[in-house]
């Protein structure tokens, strides 16, 4: 097992800077995810860790060892590529054994290790089957077995589930987690799927345009997004533009929808820095964090609006509320006392202060 350290890593392809100023510390045994939209630099970063690319600048270390320019075969990393890159006309056994043969492992040892790992991925009965005759999920398992059989210190998975249908994806998620726990292997998982990232990871790094915007646990990324890109890429979010009018210890006075309002926020909400007077920032709040009431609520952190649309999803209900011409999304459980609320109803929204996040606006184009 090994920790992975990236220090000020940059990778440029000609004029295109695919990854920039990347600093990451991945702990031994951690399940770490790179999350971001297509083209944000996830694969490039993974390939630098595997040694298929060398960084243009910066350093990569495994534990104390400098690996920046060490070729892939000397790194002891196992990689599962997005398209699996299996040999279609070889059997399952031959595919999995390939890496061991290259490493000149003895025939008897190969037999033992391949059959052990095939059992782990539950493919022991398919050993002699040609890979081209397997289903997508089975091929996925062969690719995993092939990466695991060399007993790598680090497992690198590039969008390993993106070719599978939804049900199989769910199953394989659990499978990958089980294997990662069994082997206690430092794992980097690449995905553009936020649900996958939130449900599987110890920690997540969120990328956009070659820049890492935040590193944190799933709960930190979801509940305490660093900026509007992270907030909108992960889950549903409401953004309310704010202008800071006056800041005190605990209370800030802001204009919301051009109206002066007092807002209670905790200091931790200013995770990046304290905004300055007259600065334009964003209040972000998740739809499930807004409390809806059909009776007037007075005081701070409240807004008044009218129900514009009600959508029933079974266990949850989504209500779109129009507040001064802006639409806010509220999610509530089917058991909520207002679950039968109708369009046109006058409502009051309460935004609990520990659920509000004041964040900087960094991007014009989000999502
Ligand atoms: N070999 C390459 N040559 C030139 N540009 C590349 C190469 N690989 C990736 N890029 C560019 O680098 C950026 C990041 O790509 P990539 O790491 O593949 O993103 P992701 O895996 O997040 O979708 C993209 O703009 C892509 O076009
Ligand atoms: Mg990619």
């Amino acid at each position: 097992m090994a920790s992975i350290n990236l220090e000020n890593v940059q990778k440029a392809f000609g004029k295109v800077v695919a990854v920039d100023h990347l600093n990451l510390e991945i702990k031994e045994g951690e399940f770490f995810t790179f999350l971001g939209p297509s083209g944000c630099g996830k694969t490039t970063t993974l390939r630098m860790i595997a040694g298929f690319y060398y960084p243009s600048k910066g350093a990569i270390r495994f534990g104390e060892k400098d690996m920046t320019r060490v070729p892939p075969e000397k790194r002891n990393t196992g990689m599962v590529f997005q398209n699996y890159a299996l040999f279609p006309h070889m059997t399952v056994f031959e595919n999995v054994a390939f890496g061991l043969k290259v490493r000149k492992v003895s025939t008897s040892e190969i037999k033992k290790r391949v059959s052990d790992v095939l059992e782990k991925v539950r493919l022991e009965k398919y050993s002699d089957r040609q890979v081209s005759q397997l289903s997508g999920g089975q091929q996925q398992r062969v690719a995993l077995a092939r990466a695991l059989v060399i007993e790598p210190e680090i497992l690198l998975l590039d969008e390993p589930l993106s070719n599978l249908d939804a049900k199989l994806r769910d199953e394989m998620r659990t499978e990958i987690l089980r294997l990662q726990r069994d082997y206690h292997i430092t794992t980097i998982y690449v995905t553009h799927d936020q649900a996958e990232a939130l449900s599987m990871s110890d920690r997540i790094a969120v990328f956009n345009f070659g820049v890492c915007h935040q590193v944190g646990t799933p709960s930190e990324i979801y509940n305490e997004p660093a900026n509007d890109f992270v907030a909108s890429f992960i889950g549903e979010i409401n953004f309310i533009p704010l202008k800071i009018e006056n800041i005190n210890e605990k209370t800030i006075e802001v204009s919301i929808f051009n109206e002066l309002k007092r807002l209670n926020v905790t200091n931790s909400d200013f995770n990046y820095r304290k905004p300055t007077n007259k600065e334009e920032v964003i209040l972000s709040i998740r739809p499930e964090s807004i409390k809806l009431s059909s009776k007037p609520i007075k005081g701070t952190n409240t807004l008044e609006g009218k129900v514009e649309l009600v959508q029933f999803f079974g266990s949850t209900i989504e209500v779109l509320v129009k507040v001064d011409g802006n639409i806010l999304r509220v999610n509530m459980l089917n058991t909520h006392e207002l679950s039968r609320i109708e369009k046109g109803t006058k409502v009051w929204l309460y935004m609990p202060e520990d659920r509000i996040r004041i964040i900087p606006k960094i991007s014009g184009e989000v999502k």
Side-chain angles (χ1 to χ4, degrees), residues 19-195:
V19 177
D20 208 5
H21 289 107
L22 182 59
N23 290 289
L24 284 179
E25 181 83 54
I26 296 153
K27 295 175 207 150
E28 202 167 292
E30 194 168 28
F31 194 107
F32 194 95
T33 297
F34 295 168
L35 174 67
S38 175
C40 70
K42 306 181 295 292
T43 296
T44 304
T45 307
L46 206 66
R47 285 179 156 264
M48 286 193 280
I49 294 168
F52 298 118
Y53 295 150
Y54 295 151
S56 314
K57 289 183 194 162
I60 297 177
R61 277 181 288 273
F62 294 172
E64 298 297 307
K65 276 182 288 180
D66 181 12
M67 304 301 279
T68 314
R69 289 183 175 270
V70 173
E73 66 276 11
K74 301 226 166 95
R75 290 197 182 207
N76 205 13
T77 50
M79 180 140 168
V80 173
F81 296 89
Q82 187 164 359
N83 57 5
Y84 311 152
L86 297 171
F87 306 113
H89 301 302
M90 287 190 192
T91 64
V92 169
F93 184 93
E94 287 162 345
N95 265 278
V96 178
F98 188 81
L100 296 176
K101 276 196 185 139
V102 174
R103 285 169 174 78
K104 308 259 187 292
V105 176
S106 73
T107 315
S108 60
E109 176 75 11
I110 290 181
K111 239 181 168 161
K112 183 177 177 314
R113 276 166 67 176
V114 173
S115 83
D116 281 356
V117 82
L118 286 180
E119 202 171 308
K120 277 266 187 226
V121 300
R122 300 178 179 159
L123 277 182
E124 63 273 30
K125 294 202 184 81
Y126 294 84
S127 181
D128 298 326
R129 187 79 70 91
Q130 238 185 34
V131 158
S132 56
Q133 296 166 350
L134 298 179
S135 71
Q138 290 165 334
Q139 291 189 11
Q140 169 62 60
R141 280 170 221 234
V142 178
L144 262 174
R146 195 176 57 173
L148 288 170
V149 79
I150 59 165
E151 292 170 8
E153 282 183 294
I154 293 164
L155 182 61
L156 305 171
L157 305 167
D158 194 355
E159 311 227 16
L161 307 184
S162 58
N163 297 330
L164 306 179
D165 61 45
K167 185 164 176 291
L168 203 52
R169 249 200 325 260
D170 271 0
E171 276 173 34
M172 286 306 297
R173 256 190 224 182
T174 321
E175 197 90 329
I176 288 174
L177 279 177
R178 181 180 61 83
L179 287 167
Q180 198 260 345
R181 303 267 142 82
D182 277 7
Y183 283 87
H184 292 294
I185 197 168
T186 310
T187 300
I188 303 180
Y189 188 91
V190 166
T191 184
H192 62 270
D193 181 330
Q194 42 114 3

